[in-house]
Amino acid sequence: MDYAEKLLAWFDTNKREMPWRNTTDPYAIWVSEIMLQQTQVDTVMPYYITFMDRFPTINSLASATLEEVHTYWQGLGYYRRAENLHKGAQMVDKEYGGIFPRDITLVKKIPGIGPYTLGAVLSIAFHMPLPAVDGNVMRILARQFLIENDISVAKSRKVFEEKVMALMPSDPNRFNQGLMELGALVCTPRDPNCKECPVQDSCEAYETSSITNYPVKSKKVKIAEMNYKVLMIQKENELWMEKRPQEGLLANLWGFPMLDDIKWEEFKEMKLSFEFGEKVTHIFTHRKWHMTPVLIEWREQENRLLEKYMKYDNEARFVKIKKMQDIPIATAFKKLIEILKR
Ligand code: SF4
């Protein structure tokens, strides 16, 4: 058996059941691929099912409001993906008559579809022989063939794509999925399960006991640590919330006013009464927020000074704690709400 045959035979008996594996609808595959970016399969599964239930077609997603799309996405994180998916659906609906195109040039124009998603959707839905190279695939191939190219450098992708194409059988659908599954289940970043690997006999890293040297990755992502005091202003059973700006981290989601150290010093001078809540840390890809909730009771007469921190360009209002599930709230802030409820 050649490389592809071994991989496909393994995939057929070891693949996990996933709702997006029982369809050739490019829209359904597109949604799954976007949700799976930087998110585990087990986390994605329930979101995918409710999302597809509410937005079963490109047209249904295109005609929904972004606010509603956010509500269905909340908890999955990386909200920019949802926004691009929404924009992409609107574009396909308007410009391609609601039909996901087979033409690579047209697919490339859809917001949020990069080379990986393009290859994944077109190869899985339409069996087009295209590479779908993500971190998993680069890791397997780097180990298999001792590829020295640095995977944190964008132009390395081409080397891996060429390798995939050199191995590509007549069934790109299963081959690409097989590689993805092998990376997720066997050739994992740490402690790969080489004993169970279907392509172990052609793995040069295994042969030369150099698995830990591959893939080569030089750039280390710097994580910026930020401290915030988060104002949780409570008026009976409501909390003051504001919609975040349209750009930047957690854009368009709802949260609480946040003060950095400088603003906090200024805030303290007002000598308002408040209590600190339990500190929460939330980790993003390149950032870590250390958030200390500042619990304040809203008193119409006494707290006028607070308004300075409550004004916002976008929408802002007191929201009933019980009704919070109706608006898209970023997970970082949900953690604070949970603490408050406790
Ligand atoms: Fe990965 Fe081990 Fe298989 Fe090589 S033998 S591809 S290192 S799981």
Side-chain angles (χ1 to χ4, degrees):
M1 283 205 276
D2 68 11
Y3 188 94
E5 285 166 343
K6 282 185 266 185
L7 182 72
L8 295 182
W10 173 85
F11 178 64
D12 288 343
T13 46
N14 292 280
K15 69 177 174 208
R16 293 167 292 175
E17 274 305 316
M18 297 173 194
W20 50 87
R21 288 217 164 125
N22 301 322
T23 178
T24 51
D25 173 6
Y27 166 66
I29 295 161
W30 175 22
V31 172
S32 73
E33 287 299 338
I34 300 295
M35 284 191 175
L36 286 165
Q37 286 168 11
Q38 292 157 319
T39 314
Q40 302 280 329
V41 167
D42 291 346
T43 310
V44 165
M45 204 84 90
Y47 285 94
Y48 177 82
I49 292 166
T50 47
F51 193 91
M52 291 304 291
D53 221 30
R54 167 62 189 89
F55 310 112
T57 59
I58 290 178
N59 178 268
S60 59
L61 180 58
S63 47
T65 62
L66 179 59
E67 180 105 345
E68 194 188 359
V69 176
H70 270 152
T71 306
Y72 276 80
W73 199 274
Q74 60 177 318
L76 265 181
Y78 306 102
Y79 288 83
R80 183 71 69 202
R81 298 179 298 173
E83 284 157 32
N84 279 333
L85 186 61
H86 185 231
K87 265 191 221 153
Q90 289 179 328
M91 183 192 167
V92 175
D93 194 47
K94 192 164 160 245
E95 294 182 28
Y96 306 155
I99 295 167
F100 195 93
R102 285 171 181 251
D103 182 326
I104 296 174
T105 325
L106 298 183
V107 177
K108 275 184 182 164
K109 292 183 182 165
I110 301 174
I113 296 202
Y116 166 77
T117 312
L118 178 142
V121 176
L122 293 181
S123 66
I124 298 171
F126 302 134
H127 296 252
M128 289 168 69
L130 291 166
V133 170
D134 67 352
N136 275 335
V137 174
M138 288 199 257
R139 182 172 63 251
I140 300 166
L141 297 180
R143 289 171 175 170
Q144 283 275 306
F145 304 104
L146 301 188
I147 298 174
E148 301 285 346
N149 298 68
D150 186 339
I151 63 163
S152 57
V153 173
K155 64 179 183 199
S156 298
R157 167 183 291 278
K158 202 158 177 32
V159 176
F160 290 95
E161 286 179 345
E162 282 166 5
K163 196 73 209 175
V164 172
M165 290 314 289
L167 300 167
M168 182 72 78
S170 57
D171 187 353
N173 167 318
R174 280 161 62 236
F175 184 68
N176 278 342
Q177 291 193 74
L179 278 177
M180 294 171 200
E181 199 73 332
L182 188 70
L185 299 181
V186 178
C187 194
T188 48
R190 278 185 221 104
D191 301 325
N193 187 2
C194 301
K195 282 200 188 94
E196 302 293 326
C197 180
V199 284
Q200 186 216 80
D201 59 359
S202 60
C203 182
E204 295 178 40
Y206 181 79
E207 182 70 31
T208 56
S209 303
S210 58
I211 294 166
T212 50
N213 297 342
Y214 296 90
V216 175
K217 190 177 181 183
S218 66
K219 269 192 213 160
K220 285 223 165 67
V221 180
K222 270 198 191 149
I223 300 211
E225 307 227 4
M226 335 278 281
N227 287 308
Y228 289 113
K229 299 288 185 298
V230 182
L231 301 186
M232 299 184 76
I233 304 167
Q234 190 165 359
K235 187 167 88 177
E236 296 173 0
N237 56 357
E238 297 178 325
L239 280 176
W240 177 260
M241 300 206 74
E242 57 192 27
K243 193 173 177 182
R244 294 175 60 82
Q246 289 180 353
E247 296 296 327
L249 204 57
L250 306 179
N252 291 312
L253 297 174
W254 288 74
F256 302 107
M258 293 168 72
L259 310 182
D260 60 18
D261 290 342
I262 297 170
K263 280 199 180 148
W264 174 242
E265 286 307 314
E266 181 192 291
F267 180 91
K268 278 196 300 189
E269 286 174 14
M270 299 195 301
K271 304 218 181 311
L272 296 171
S273 51
F274 64 83
E275 272 178 49
F276 283 129
E278 191 184 318
K279 197 169 174 172
V280 161
T281 296
H282 190 79
I283 302 168
F284 300 92
T285 317
H286 305 306
R287 264 177 228 204
K288 205 185 242 187
W289 281 1
H290 301 288
M291 301 184 292
T292 308
V294 178
L295 314 173
I296 307 174
E297 255 185 69
W298 172 252
R299 294 186 190 91
E300 208 79 34
Q301 300 307 318
E302 302 156 42
N303 286 2
R304 284 280 161 224
L305 288 169
L306 257 184
E307 286 186 347
K308 173 175 172 191
Y309 297 92
M310 296 164 73
K311 295 281 180 217
Y312 221 73
D313 291 344
N314 292 290
E315 297 165 67
R317 62 173 190 262
F318 279 106
V319 178
K320 282 202 172 24
I321 297 174
K322 275 189 181 160
K323 292 272 178 194
M324 287 190 164
Q325 70 275 16
D326 297 342
I327 56 171
I329 300 172
T331 307
F333 299 112
K334 277 190 181 167
K335 290 181 182 172
L336 297 172
I337 297 169
E338 284 312 309
I339 287 175
L340 188 83
K341 281 184 184 166
R342 286 208 300 270

